[in-house]
């Protein structure tokens, strides 16, 4: 519960206005709880209605996405874009294609993105979008027609200086290509309006890898500073087997860790000898297959139905990289009971509030998503810079900048946690450090009556 009356009032209003939007309310609550001390010190926030404005998106767009399947049947999906906050730069954030997408999911992701983008130190506001379209089992032609229809509406709301979408669950290189092609056809301009583009048309080297690489750089820096330890020699469990999970596995292995598990929404694989990433890449990237196919190529590994059992595998470090609320209280307790000392989040909001309480009560080093997975959007920001400069940096140059950004994010979050009297609580630190910059910019820009 909130101690501060202003926070109580703001949260009650958010709850009433967004009734039933559980993911959005979960994200807002966590952030407001972290701001208790700051709000006491800054009466100008209440005077300027700052938190009321901060919790209400600047714009929420919902639209119809009709498309025709290969058999000629018409389908209608729902498209979304939330333009949450533009105080420090153009709206920036990914597009998610998954049947679970709804207004609550898009708003929680947009809200988190505002703080995450602020933490990167780059000039990007926060937004998010997507659709309840399910790309699974669809042909390339169907995905293309869906993307074209989606962009036919979205294009009127975005632009290189207004709002720059990218990928998220279900949106990778193929989808960004179709979306970009349709934007260009309709607007007749070749600009960096999307990030995560292919290398032949304005993409950045290291953007694909940045998802998982950034997570590992953050984890390594946090372990170095808070535990005088590193990923080397550690047993690591990673959930998911998409873009974030694959490149987190690659970098963790390069840093000397033994990654023993991966999953998808059907189940998980456990390979105590270490995941063979070439096998995973062949299944997931070349064939768009299921993770259970891994055991056909590696018979010594084991496949289990159901994804939540992955947290019962003994490990030193857990990197959840699938989806929101994938670790609940029972999952967190199982991790702790089996000796897990570090949880850093590649997915957005993968831990329930109850799970986070378990980490904090047991001294687990907890790296919250908005800090730990900010590497991707950072490289998106670097892609925007390269597009503006009409230049392409080398892989090494982008990777070096990414490493520097992830180190800075850790130190800024740690420093903020100390300033708030919660030293080492990176959740509080990330929320406060991200918020301060956006709050300053909002105050400076005044209120439009
Ligand atoms: P992908 O679509 O590449 O992969 C998603 C993975 O998570 C798949 O293995 C998928 O399994 C699994 N998954 C998705 N939904 C569920 C669910 N409801 N239950 C269990 N498993 C599920 O997505 P990404 O790797 O890009 O994204 C993963 C996470 O990382 C998301 O939280 C995303 O928001 C976050 N993220 C992504 C970034 C990006 O640029 N791509 C950047 C930063 C964060 P299945 O195939 O069975 O659905
Ligand atoms: O959650 C995220 O940070 C992303 N999906 C990436 C957003 C982006 O604009 O690169």
């Amino acid at each position: 519960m909130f101690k501060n009356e202003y926070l109580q009032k703001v949260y009650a209003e958010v709850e009433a206005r967004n009734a039933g939007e559980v993911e959005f309310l979960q994200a807002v609550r966590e952030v407001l709880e972290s701001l208790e001390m700051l709000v006491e010190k800054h009466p100008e926030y209440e005077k300027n209605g700052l938190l009321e404005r901060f919790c209400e998106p600047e714009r929420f767009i919902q639209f119809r996405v009709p498309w025709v399947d290969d058999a000629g049947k018409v389908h209608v999906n729902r498209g979304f874009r939330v333009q949450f906050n533009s105080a420090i730069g153009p709206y920036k954030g990914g597009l998610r294609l998954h049947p679970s997408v709804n207004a609550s999911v898009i708003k929680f992701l947009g809200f988190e993105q505002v703080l995450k983008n602020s933490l990167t130190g780059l000039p990007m506001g926060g937004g998010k979008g997507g659709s309840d379209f399910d790309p699974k089992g669809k042909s390339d032609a169907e995905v293309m027609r869906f993307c074209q229809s989606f962009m036919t509406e979205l294009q009127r709301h975005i632009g290189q200086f207004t709002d720059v979408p990218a990928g998220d669950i279900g949106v990778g290189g193929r989808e960004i290509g179709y979306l970009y092609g349709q934007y260009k056809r309709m607007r007749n301009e070749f600009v960096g309006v999307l990030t995560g583009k292919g290398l032949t048309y304005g993409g950045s080297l290291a953007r694909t890898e940045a998802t998982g690489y950034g997570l590992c750089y953050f984890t390594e820096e946090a372990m170095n500073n808070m535990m005088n330890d590193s990923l080397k020699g550690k047993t690591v469990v990673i959930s998911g087997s998409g873009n974030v999970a694959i490149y987190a596995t690659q970098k963790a292995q390069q840093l000397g860790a033994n990654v023993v598990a991966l999953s998808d929404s059907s189940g998980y694989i456990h390979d105590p000898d270490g995941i063979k990433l070439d096998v995973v890449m062949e299944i997931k990237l070349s064939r768009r297959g299921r993770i259970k196919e891994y055991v056909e190529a590696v018979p010594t590994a084991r496949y289990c139905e159901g994804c939540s059992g992955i947290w019962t595998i003994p490990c030193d470090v857990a990197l959840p990289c699938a989806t929101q609320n994938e670790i609940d209280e029972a999952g967190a307790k199982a991790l702790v009971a089996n000796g897990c000392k570090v949880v850093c989040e590649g997915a957005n909001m993968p831990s329930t509030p109850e799970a986070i309480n378990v980490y904090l009560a047991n001294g687990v080093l907890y790296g919250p998503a908005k800090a730990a997975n900010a590497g991707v959007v950072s490289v998106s920001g670097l892609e925007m810079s390269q597009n503006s400069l009409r230049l392409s940096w080398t892989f090494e140059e982008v990777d070096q900048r990414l490493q520097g950004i992830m180190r800075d994010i850790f130190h800024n979050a740690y420093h903020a946690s100390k300033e708030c009297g919660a030293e080492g609580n990176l959740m509080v630190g990330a929320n406060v450090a991200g918020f301060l910059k956006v709050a300053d910019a909002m105050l400076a820009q005044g209120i439009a009556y």
Side-chain angles (χ1 to χ4, degrees):
M1 216 30 231
F2 300 102
K3 288 186 220 85
N4 179 281
E5 274 181 32
Y6 175 46
L7 288 174
Q8 268 174 31
K9 175 179 144 289
V10 171
Y11 186 72
E13 278 172 17
V14 173
E15 212 175 15
R17 183 175 279 161
N18 303 282
E21 298 194 349
V22 286
E23 294 87 358
F24 179 52
L25 293 173
Q26 180 184 335
V28 170
R29 189 182 184 106
E30 179 208 289
V31 171
L32 293 184
E33 280 175 356
S34 298
L35 300 181
E36 288 271 3
M37 195 171 151
L38 208 61
V39 168
E40 297 283 341
K41 278 206 290 199
H42 292 272
E44 72 274 21
Y45 291 169
E46 181 167 7
K47 219 169 124 224
N48 287 278
L50 189 88
L51 290 177
E52 293 88 325
R53 289 190 282 141
F54 184 72
C55 294
E56 180 68 14
E58 289 176 21
R59 202 168 293 104
F60 183 82
I61 303 150
Q62 185 188 306
F63 49 98
R64 178 173 66 192
V65 190
W67 58 279
V68 180
D69 70 18
D70 290 345
K73 187 168 180 293
V74 178
H75 298 261
V76 176
N77 283 99
R78 186 169 273 186
F80 299 95
R81 185 76 185 164
V82 66
Q83 299 182 330
F84 217 108
N85 193 305
S86 61
I88 64 169
Y91 310 106
K92 179 85 195 87
L95 297 171
R96 175 177 291 192
L97 298 183
H98 194 273
S100 62
V101 164
N102 57 30
S104 171
V105 168
I106 293 299
K107 277 158 68 180
F108 113 68
L109 288 164
F111 181 77
E112 291 279 293
Q113 200 81 43
V114 174
L115 295 168
K116 184 195 305 193
N117 294 1
S118 168
L119 284 169
T120 67
L122 300 172
M124 299 182 288
K128 201 84 188 191
S131 171
D132 56 5
F133 174 79
D134 186 358
K136 269 200 211 93
K138 305 288 190 302
S139 69
D140 285 353
E142 288 172 332
V143 170
M144 181 177 79
R145 289 195 291 275
F146 170 84
C147 288
Q148 290 175 342
S149 179
F150 184 87
M151 185 53 89
T152 299
E153 172 61 28
L154 187 68
Q155 57 87 22
R156 74 187 78 243
H157 306 290
I158 62 176
Q160 61 166 330
F161 301 120
T162 310
D163 183 356
V164 182
D168 193 78
I169 290 179
V171 176
R174 174 182 63 171
E175 292 75 18
I176 293 291
Y178 295 147
L179 291 163
Y180 191 75
Q182 186 68 355
Y183 182 89
K184 195 161 59 60
R185 258 172 230 119
M186 297 191 72
R187 300 281 287 257
N188 194 24
E189 50 184 29
F190 196 108
V191 292
V193 68
L194 296 172
T195 59
K197 299 185 292 298
L199 295 176
T200 51
Y201 61 94
S204 173
L205 285 162
R207 170 61 177 74
T208 310
E209 293 84 353
T211 49
Y213 280 26
L215 171 65
C216 290
Y217 295 146
F218 179 93
T219 307
E220 185 81 350
E221 188 70 11
M223 288 177 75
N224 287 170
N225 284 273
M226 292 174 70
M227 301 166 70
N228 196 22
D229 207 339
S230 71
L231 281 166
K232 196 165 182 331
K234 299 293 179 297
T235 300
V236 178
V237 164
I238 298 182
S239 63
S241 48
N243 178 253
V244 182
I246 286 176
Y247 292 100
T249 303
Q250 187 170 74
K251 183 52 73 180
Q253 290 178 341
Q254 286 171 8
L255 292 170
N258 184 28
V259 180
V260 297
L262 287 173
S263 64
D264 59 24
S265 58
S266 312
Y268 65 92
I269 51 161
H270 184 198
D271 186 349
D273 300 334
I275 295 287
K276 281 70 177 169
L277 196 57
D278 52 339
V279 174
V280 176
M281 284 177 151
E282 201 277 317
I283 296 168
K284 300 302 291 188
L285 303 181
S286 312
R287 289 196 273 120
R288 295 183 189 273
R290 305 299 295 159
I291 200 66
K292 73 171 167 208
E293 295 163 40
Y294 183 86
V295 293
E296 289 160 24
V298 187
T300 48
R302 165 174 82 95
Y303 173 74
C304 296
E305 284 289 335
C307 39
S308 58
I310 194 171
W311 309 121
T312 62
I313 298 173
C315 64
D316 304 304
V317 177
L319 304 176
C321 293
T323 195
Q324 64 269 7
N325 292 328
E326 57 171 310
I327 309 185
D328 60 9
E329 187 173 16
K333 282 184 171 160
L335 283 170
V336 169
N338 287 321
C340 177
K341 298 277 184 301
V342 179
V343 179
C344 285
E345 299 177 335
N348 287 304
M349 205 169 76
S351 306
T352 64
E354 296 76 24
I356 296 172
N357 287 340
V358 173
Y359 309 147
L360 298 180
N362 287 280
V364 171
L365 191 173
Y366 169 52
K370 61 175 73 69
N373 79 18
V376 199
V377 74
S378 302
V379 175
S380 277
L382 301 178
E383 182 172 330
M384 290 164 74
S385 304
Q386 293 169 79
N387 292 163
S388 297
L389 290 166
R390 307 279 193 268
L391 285 175
S392 298
W393 296 331
T394 61
F395 187 98
E396 288 68 30
E397 180 154 8
V398 178
D399 192 42
Q400 281 301 319
R401 286 178 192 259
L402 171 63
Q403 291 184 44
I405 290 171
M406 296 317 292
R407 274 198 295 270
D408 288 350
I409 291 175
F410 166 76
H411 289 285
N412 290 338
Y414 191 88
H415 178 74
S417 76
K418 208 164 153 185
E419 295 277 292
C420 291
E423 184 166 354
N425 183 331
L426 299 176
M427 174 182 73
V428 168
N431 286 335
V432 167
F435 175 78
L436 277 172
K437 182 174 165 190
V438 178
D440 272 9
M442 287 176 73
L443 287 175
Q445 290 169 25
I447 303 164
Y449 294 95

